[in-house]
Amino acid sequence: MSAPRTIPSAVTERQIAASDPESSAWVSANAGSGKTHVLAQRVIRLLLSGVEPARILCITFTKAAAANMANRVSQDLRAWTLLDDERLDDAMRKVGVLAPTPKLRTRARQLFALALDTPGGLKVQTIHAFCTQLLQLFPFEANAPARFEVLDEATQTQMLDRLGLNVLLEAAESSHTELGRALEKAVLAAADQTFQDMLRETIRARDTLTRWIGEAGGVSQAVAQLSRMLNVEPEDTVAEVDAAILRGSLIANSEWGAIGATMLGGSKTDKDQGARFHALATLQGTGLIEKYLDIFCTANRDKSKERIATSAIERTDPGLCRRLEEERDRVWALVQKKRAIETRDRTSALITVAYAVVARFRDEKNRRGLLDYDDLIDKTLDLLRDERAAWVHYKLDRGIHHVLIDEAQDTSPKQWDIVRALVSEFFAGAGAHEQRRTIFAVGDEKQSIFSFQGAAPREFAAMRAHFEQMHARAELPFVATEFKHSFRSGPNVLGAVDTVFSRSEAYSGLTTDPAPPVHEFLPDKAPGLVEIWELESSDSFESKEGWAAPFDVQNVTSGIAKLAQRIARTIAAWRSEGRRSKDVLILLRRRGALFDAVIRALKKEHIPVAGADRLVLTEHIAVMDLMALADAILLPEDDLALATVLKSPLFGLDDDALFDIAWKRPSGLYDALKQKRSDVAARFDTLRDAARAMTPFAFYAWLLGSQGGRRMMFARLGHEAADALDEFLNLALEYERVEAPSLQGFVAWLRAAEAEVKRDMEMERDEVRVMTVHGAKGLEAPVVVLADTTTPAQGWHPPRLLDIAPEHAAPGAADRLIWATSKDNDVGPMATARETMLQGAREEYCRLLYVAMTRAKDQLHLIVPQRFYTHGQRSTGDRHVYASRTRFIPDLLTCHFGVARWPVLAHGPSTADDRSKSSVDIRSRMRAMWG
């Protein structure tokens, strides 16, 4: 049992002030500073002060956070029912009650029962759950179906994919229609998979798309707006620009030969240009245009910064050189115009198809009475803004007196608008309501990492200023405070965080404050350990001629595999020293090769591992076995499916047993199974008969339950298969709710849905957790390993779908969507838009690093390069797997880790003796590592 912590009085005073139910409060809290505790403390103090549970609305970001908050409050209240007077008084003093009285004691002991008796319990829910409840109460006023259902992600994905395929098939069959012409343009613009990816990305941005097209008055009008934005006319075509390149040339065709002859008398560069001029006379059509562009543009079709002719030619014929320079400028202007037209055509094709899919999706939702998560927010916001539904505000105002917002930095602008509408009457003045009403928000801009879900971290500071001003106008108390003390990490980990984010390039992406973040630690917190590991390089590979390769094959281990093995061996050493597996949390930016390699390496070292925090359900081996069973039941003649099932945990045959059955069989595998293994065939027939008689859910529940299927799966795959099996059954039940139940239909529906499983990583099993930083939000661990801190800050791919605000448009006008390529940097406003998106990615990269580093309680291990490449340099092949292109984190680490004395190991951990010697001068250690 750990000793009680020494908490400075200033920290306790800030917590008590923030949880005071008499005033509104806005809390900016560092990671690990106890914001969830204060939120629960405020709820309890509101209940103690006489507020009814039904009058409190607590909004959290995730269902897990909502459940955690409700459980924490319930546990505290339940414990209070068993305390004697003295201990109960102490408990109330800890939450901020200065003078407990007998009346307060009685109230405190009743709170647990009061919360249980409240219909629906405490209102601790996500913003989407609140919107669902509100729309169900007022469907007519919100223009929502009376008994609507919320569309889950799996069904939504399946619907959109099906509707997208239908639109593409319709377009392919009707080339003369608008859809058909759009598909033709799309096929010319990109490969089919690229277009499919762009279509999905545009559909995800359907709110922006529908607003734009709705305000424009249609797709054709939106395309006209796009043309004007790109400085081209709607009727301009690529063919016209191609023709203008030669037709308007400042150099006549008859001069090509003479210019070529002049160039041949110059340097090698001039001779190359001369050869191109001579070649013009032998070409026509597209080949002629491309060769002409070779003269005046680079190979990548950028504007040539070099002179068309060298100084030697300029001395002999300065007039020619001047004309060539003028022609280059003219050609470059046409190239830019051509790219703008191509961008316009490519984008118009994309939005035409995407809008058709979105329109059909909207119609099907209306027909089936479905609302997706975006609909919940939009319809709630419209309801609260509608003056005709004033009585809805009246009902809400009478029902909700206190609004608490957890993880406020993850709230989107639309969600903030809902909150503002909910509490608008709170600031009508002191005498406008017989009960006091408050708002409480707690968050941390530095931990806003969900921009892909609409989170806008800068809104947190903007909303604080807004509500502070509203309270001042109404002369109501408002407390704005900061929590800087960490209850989680020690001075070394916090010192590393402060040092990494001490430069403006780093902290400007974290917060709107004009100063770097400061973290304070508890006085009795152990120092902790920060270790820096070097990168692993791939083995050298000697390139050989093809004829020699089969006779002299090299075994080459990639840097990724070596790094994963090193992590696994290190964790094995920690376990041998007494460290538990569950104490270790391995964080990565994304799922990929390293993610899978780490899990494989841990299993190879026989280290318990929880598996991936998120997985595609149909790619989990247990679910693949269950689907293969369905395939074999539906068609026993499918030898591959049957063989797969026989080797699965459900039957457990090994390779030798399967070989004995299948070898030299006269007919299908099923017939051979009945002849050679009648017992196994009888079990398969039993399952097949049950599948014919039961619905999919009933069959699989029977198989995994009374037939022992779950136990068999666990015996081979471990308990990590539990989440996949549970989600599989949930989807089977969901399928039967929306479709006529059939095994074939269910398997086809499941494969099309591509459902993802988000696994709960707050488990008590003694397993190493490997997850992305996004999944680790809200978690902590004694030991944290950051395995890929040197991935590109701007992301793995440049942004392709740009969201551009129109110039000189009315305030609030819809943004335009543009399908960009790497060649469009100089087209219209696209360069600025791309840089804005990249800057946003870099800022979120900083916040991701902050979240990752602050998960560590005792030890933080970072893997960074021994010698990293600066901007513009690249590694060759896979020689240095993490050291190519610009690396933001190594730069921060090398520039800033040298300012303090910390226990750091240059080459990673090995033994306990190494750690005892690790208090070294970090500045000299950094010199040794980075030179």
Side-chain angles (χ1 to χ4, degrees):
M1 186 174 181
S2 59
R5 292 172 294 186
T6 302
I7 302 176
S9 58
V11 176
T12 305
E13 291 170 2
R14 273 194 213 99
Q15 291 182 341
I16 291 175
S19 62
D20 184 1
E22 297 296 328
S23 61
S24 296
W26 202 275
V27 179
S28 179
N30 286 339
S33 59
K35 55 181 177 291
T36 305
H37 166 74
V38 174
L39 189 63
Q41 184 174 297
R42 185 176 179 95
V43 172
I44 292 173
R45 290 188 67 180
L46 285 168
L47 295 173
L48 274 175
S49 67
V51 177
E52 299 176 19
R55 307 293 188 195
I56 302 172
L57 172 63
C58 183
I59 298 174
T60 62
F61 189 63
T62 64
K63 294 179 181 178
N68 181 44
M69 173 60 59
N71 289 337
R72 179 172 294 201
V73 173
S74 297
Q75 288 172 2
D76 289 345
L77 297 182
R78 182 172 59 247
W80 284 11
T81 63
L82 304 176
L83 299 179
D84 57 31
D85 288 353
E86 184 177 352
R87 290 192 297 168
L88 183 57
D89 287 351
D90 289 340
M92 286 193 289
R93 288 191 186 96
K94 288 181 179 179
V95 300
V97 178
L98 299 179
T101 63
K103 184 178 180 180
L104 276 178
R105 292 191 202 104
T106 302
R107 174 73 177 177
R109 292 190 173 102
Q110 293 174 344
L111 289 181
F112 183 60
L114 184 64
L116 290 178
D117 292 340
T118 300
L122 291 171
K123 292 180 183 176
V124 184
Q125 53 194 182
T126 65
I127 185 70
H128 293 103
F130 169 75
C131 293
T132 301
Q133 188 178 48
L134 185 62
L135 295 177
Q136 287 171 341
L137 289 173
F138 305 104
F140 177 76
E141 292 82 355
N143 193 27
R147 295 184 178 179
F148 70 85
E149 295 181 7
V150 179
L151 188 61
D152 62 88
E153 292 182 6
T155 305
Q156 177 174 303
T157 301
Q158 189 266 344
M159 282 178 59
L160 288 171
D161 286 346
R162 173 172 52 81
L163 293 172
L165 179 61
N166 291 342
V167 168
L168 292 176
L169 290 175
E170 179 182 321
E173 293 173 356
S174 307
S175 59
H176 60 282
T177 63
E178 186 177 1
L179 270 177
R181 289 189 292 270
L183 183 59
E184 288 181 1
K185 292 179 183 178
V187 169
L188 294 174
D192 54 350
Q193 187 57 52
T194 301
F195 180 69
Q196 287 276 10
D197 294 341
M198 290 302 302
L199 183 59
R200 291 192 182 97
E201 192 171 346
T202 307
I203 290 173
R204 284 196 294 270
R206 55 186 174 274
D207 182 44
T208 301
L209 178 66
T210 52
R211 277 195 63 210
W212 174 25
I213 293 179
E215 291 179 7
V219 174
S220 59
Q221 292 86 341
V223 173
Q225 290 180 351
L226 181 62
S227 297
R228 290 191 291 273
M229 175 180 282
L230 297 175
N231 297 318
V232 296
E233 296 299 325
E235 61 274 9
D236 287 343
T237 65
V238 171
E240 291 175 351
V241 176
D242 282 342
I245 289 176
L246 295 175
R247 185 178 59 240
S249 176
L250 301 178
I251 300 173
N253 300 11
S254 57
E255 296 183 81
W256 290 346
I259 294 175
T262 301
M263 291 287 192
L264 290 176
S267 65
K268 182 181 182 305
T269 301
D270 294 326
K271 291 177 180 178
D272 291 339
Q273 290 284 46
R276 294 188 184 102
F277 272 106
H278 279 301
L280 293 177
T282 64
L283 299 172
Q284 59 183 356
T286 303
L288 174 59
I289 295 173
E290 291 300 318
K291 182 61 68 174
Y292 197 76
L293 293 177
D294 287 340
I295 297 173
F296 298 101
C297 301
T298 66
N300 294 327
R301 291 298 180 259
D302 293 327
K303 185 176 182 179
S304 177
K305 296 180 180 179
E306 302 294 334
R307 290 181 296 180
I308 307 303
T310 64
S311 56
I313 302 296
E314 187 173 5
R315 284 193 297 269
T316 59
D317 195 342
L320 171 63
C321 292
R322 185 174 58 255
R323 291 171 59 206
L324 290 175
E325 297 294 331
E326 293 173 354
E327 178 64 4
R328 179 184 63 182
D329 294 339
R330 188 193 70 86
V331 167
W332 176 241
L334 290 173
V335 169
Q336 287 183 299
K337 183 176 181 180
K338 179 179 178 180
R339 287 178 178 172
I341 296 171
E342 290 173 339
T343 299
R344 191 266 322 272
D345 292 345
R346 184 172 60 241
T347 303
S348 67
L350 177 64
I351 65 174
T352 299
V353 176
Y355 188 68
V357 176
V358 171
R360 298 186 188 194
F361 178 59
R362 181 179 59 243
D363 292 343
E364 183 161 343
K365 285 190 299 180
N366 293 338
R367 186 171 63 253
R368 295 170 56 178
L370 300 173
L371 296 181
D372 61 22
Y373 290 126
D374 292 336
D375 295 332
L376 294 175
I377 298 297
D378 291 339
K379 287 188 176 296
T380 300
L381 190 53
D382 290 342
L383 172 65
L384 295 177
R385 285 174 171 172
D386 192 348
E387 295 180 358
R388 294 172 299 176
W391 80 282
V392 174
H393 275 282
Y394 173 77
K395 297 287 287 185
L396 290 173
D397 188 45
R398 302 291 297 180
I400 299 175
H401 292 170
H402 304 275
V403 176
L404 297 87
I405 308 162
D406 189 20
E407 301 291 354
Q409 77 281 347
D410 293 323
T411 306
S412 70
K414 283 187 177 181
Q415 293 168 358
W416 276 123
D417 288 342
I418 291 175
V419 172
R420 285 200 293 184
L422 278 176
V423 303
S424 59
E425 291 298 318
F426 286 17
F427 316 114
H433 200 277
E434 66 276 9
Q435 300 290 335
R436 70 182 184 282
R437 295 173 294 178
T438 65
I439 181 172
F440 174 86
V442 58
D444 183 11
E445 293 173 278
K446 302 186 294 298
Q447 298 186 68
S448 181
I449 57 175
F450 295 101
S451 61
F452 58 90
Q453 294 181 348
R458 298 186 186 277
E459 286 290 310
F460 181 69
M463 289 298 104
R464 177 183 60 196
H466 168 77
F467 285 114
E468 189 169 14
Q469 186 180 40
M470 296 296 291
H471 280 78
R473 288 178 180 175
E475 299 182 352
L476 296 172
F478 182 87
V479 175
T481 187
E482 290 183 279
F483 291 172
K484 295 184 178 181
H485 278 80
S486 173
F487 291 82
R488 176 185 300 156
S489 308
N492 286 332
V493 173
L494 296 179
V497 173
D498 285 348
T499 301
V500 166
F501 294 102
S502 62
R503 267 193 354 191
S504 61
E505 298 95 309
Y507 71 74
S508 62
L510 291 185
T511 175
T512 55
D513 294 337
V518 176
H519 296 76
E520 300 178 7
F521 51 89
L522 298 182
D524 57 351
K525 182 67 178 178
L529 178 71
V530 177
E531 293 186 338
I532 297 179
W533 302 13
E534 296 175 10
L535 289 177
E536 297 287 349
S537 298
S538 299
D539 291 342
S540 299
F541 180 77
E542 183 181 355
S543 179
K544 295 182 177 295
E545 295 293 337
W547 63 269
F551 302 100
D552 189 12
V553 177
Q554 283 184 285
N555 291 323
V556 178
T557 303
S558 70
I560 287 177
K562 291 166 70 175
L563 178 58
Q565 293 165 7
R566 182 178 171 202
I567 291 173
R569 288 194 300 267
T570 301
I571 295 174
W574 290 339
R575 295 179 73 229
S576 67
E577 296 173 1
R579 173 71 71 181
R580 297 174 301 177
S581 298
K582 63 191 267 185
D583 290 345
V584 181
L585 176 62
I586 302 174
L587 297 181
L588 302 97
R589 278 191 66 195
R590 67 193 295 266
R591 299 169 193 87
L594 180 59
F595 193 98
D596 297 332
V598 169
I599 293 178
R600 282 196 304 270
L602 291 171
K603 291 182 176 180
K604 189 174 181 180
E605 291 287 337
H606 306 291
I607 298 172
V609 59
D613 60 325
R614 185 188 295 245
L615 53 91
V616 178
L617 187 64
T618 52
E619 294 178 0
H620 193 280
I621 185 64
V623 174
M624 293 171 69
D625 286 340
L626 295 176
M627 292 192 299
L629 174 63
D631 294 336
I633 286 174
L634 293 168
L635 185 64
E637 291 78 12
D638 186 345
D639 288 354
L640 179 59
L642 182 56
T644 302
V645 171
L646 293 177
K647 284 198 63 179
S648 74
L650 298 174
F651 288 89
L653 298 186
D654 57 20
D655 289 336
D656 293 337
L658 186 60
F659 182 82
D660 292 340
I661 296 171
W663 177 245
K664 293 184 178 180
R665 63 187 187 275
S667 56
L669 183 60
Y670 178 66
D671 295 333
L673 182 66
K674 290 194 294 184
Q675 294 176 5
K676 298 183 179 180
R677 291 294 300 270
S678 58
D679 57 329
V680 178
R683 172 171 167 75
F684 177 78
D685 290 339
T686 300
L687 296 181
R688 186 171 59 167
D689 293 340
R692 290 172 175 172
M694 300 179 181
T695 65
F697 173 78
F699 167 66
Y700 281 115
W702 169 78
L703 171 64
L704 296 173
S706 62
Q707 294 301 301
R710 182 181 290 266
R711 184 182 66 254
M712 298 172 188
M713 291 286 188
F714 288 173
R716 182 182 298 183
L717 305 177
H719 285 277
E720 69 177 80
D723 292 329
L725 294 176
D726 291 343
E727 184 64 19
F728 179 83
L729 290 177
N730 288 338
L731 289 178
L733 195 59
E734 174 65 20
Y735 169 75
E736 293 183 14
R737 191 176 62 83
V738 298
E739 301 285 351
S742 71
L743 186 60
Q744 183 176 7
F746 169 62
V747 174
W749 178 83
L750 186 64
R751 285 185 170 125
E754 298 182 356
E756 278 194 338
V757 179
K758 302 173 185 176
R759 305 181 63 238
D760 180 16
M761 304 303 276
E762 293 189 76
M763 71 286 184
E764 293 299 322
R765 297 193 298 270
D766 188 22
E767 297 173 337
V768 175
R769 290 171 291 177
V770 184
M771 55 199 311
T772 62
V773 180
H774 286 98
K777 180 73 178 301
L779 301 181
E780 61 181 30
V783 181
V784 171
V785 179
L786 305 189
D788 63 348
T789 58
T790 57
T791 49
Q794 70 272 17
W796 295 93
H797 303 289
R800 295 183 298 182
L801 188 66
L802 301 183
D803 191 332
I804 302 179
E807 293 184 354
H808 311 299
D815 291 351
R816 278 60 162 145
L817 296 176
I818 294 184
W819 179 1
T821 67
S822 59
K823 299 180 180 179
D824 299 330
N825 286 330
D826 297 319
V827 176
M830 297 174 65
T832 302
R834 181 182 282 108
E835 181 54 36
T836 300
M837 294 183 69
L838 289 175
Q839 179 61 26
R842 287 190 287 268
E843 291 179 355
E844 184 155 278
Y845 182 80
C846 294
R847 298 193 293 271
L848 277 169
L849 177 64
Y850 175 84
V851 170
M853 295 181 72
T854 54
R855 299 309 95 194
K857 295 172 66 176
D858 303 323
Q859 295 185 25
L860 176 63
H861 303 263
L862 305 102
I863 299 168
V864 298
Q866 181 177 14
R867 296 187 183 278
F868 62 94
Y869 292 90
T870 57
H871 183 71
Q873 294 178 311
R874 293 171 177 261
S875 62
T876 56
D878 194 33
R879 177 68 176 157
H880 298 279
V881 293
Y882 292 117
S884 63
R885 287 183 282 182
T886 303
R887 300 310 192 201
F888 183 58
I889 299 311
D891 181 50
L892 288 177
L893 291 174
T894 52
C895 289
H896 297 297
F897 262 89
V899 300
R901 291 177 62 90
W902 294 330
V904 178
L905 297 179
H907 300 283
S910 54
T911 65
D913 290 338
D914 288 334
R915 296 194 190 99
S916 67
K917 302 173 184 177
S918 62
S919 184
V920 297
D921 185 347
I922 188 61
R923 189 181 298 277
S924 62
R925 182 73 73 174
M926 289 300 105
R927 283 200 201 97
M929 288 179 65
W930 280 287

